[in-house]
Amino acid sequence: SADDEPAGDQTTSRTISFGEDENGSIETEGDKDWFRFEIAGEDGATVDIELTGEDGFGEDIFGEDGFDGVLTVYNSMGEDIVGGEDQEGNDYSLDGVSLSSGTYYIGVSGADGEDTGDYSLSLTELTDYSGEDLSGENFSGEDLSGWILEGADLSDADLSYANLSGADLEDANLEGADLDYANLSGANLSYANL
């Protein structure tokens, strides 16, 4: 319905919350949907923003099934701060975007302003423990996927059976950590001390 359609600028009343998916549709060429979100706390946050074009809604401008969308993040003044380039394909992601506290907007549009179709939008706040002392902590069986642990001290930590897929462990100290059956697929272990 028209009440559910997000406004095309920062006057939008449509919000997106962390951990929830929002579905929408770009119905005409040049259309743009805007979603508002808040970053609370004085330290700000690091976020991942994912857009998935839904299959089966016509063809995108490349002749492929699904919607080829573009994400742009705007500050409270409506100025674009990240994104806006076409990543070509049905999925678009902005990973590890660091934002200070405040109000932000996500704009969803079709590639080159021409593509139309349905989409799903998600916003995830990443857990950032960069440089923290987590030595001896028990994370056994925990889901730490996507956590930012760059330079963290995880010496002697229990990470057995933990899901660390996609975690950033660059330059982390893992000496003596229990990694039995830990899922490290896609984890960044550059310069990590194992």
Side-chain angles (χ1 to χ4, degrees), residues 167-172 174 179 184 186-194:
D168 184 357
L169 293 158
E170 182 176 344
D171 204 30
L174 294 163
L179 293 168
L184 294 167
N188 177 6
L189 294 166
S190 300
Y191 307 107
N193 179 16
L194 298 169

Side-chain angles (χ1 to χ4, degrees), residues 6-90:
D9 58 31
Q10 71 248 41
T11 63
T12 187
S13 61
R14 189 92 180 255
T15 61
I16 185 167
S17 300
F18 290 108
E20 294 182 10
D21 291 344
E22 288 288 333
N23 297 314
S25 182
I26 300 297
E27 296 175 353
T28 59
E29 291 183 8
D31 187 17
K32 182 180 280 189
D33 291 349
W34 284 51
F35 297 86
R36 186 181 73 241
F37 69 99
E38 302 286 331
I39 300 290
E42 62 186 50
D43 294 333
T46 302
V47 301
D48 281 352
I49 307 167
E50 306 287 332
L51 176 71
T52 304
E54 300 295 324
D55 288 334
F57 190 81
E59 293 185 347
D60 68 20
I61 62 174
F62 300 103
E64 300 171 0
D65 287 338
F67 172 63
D68 182 18
V70 175
L71 286 175
T72 308
V73 177
Y74 300 89
N75 63 18
S76 61
M77 302 297 293
E79 302 164 332
D80 61 12
I81 57 174
V82 67
E85 300 86 25
D86 183 15
Q87 292 183 354
E88 295 187 14
N90 295 4

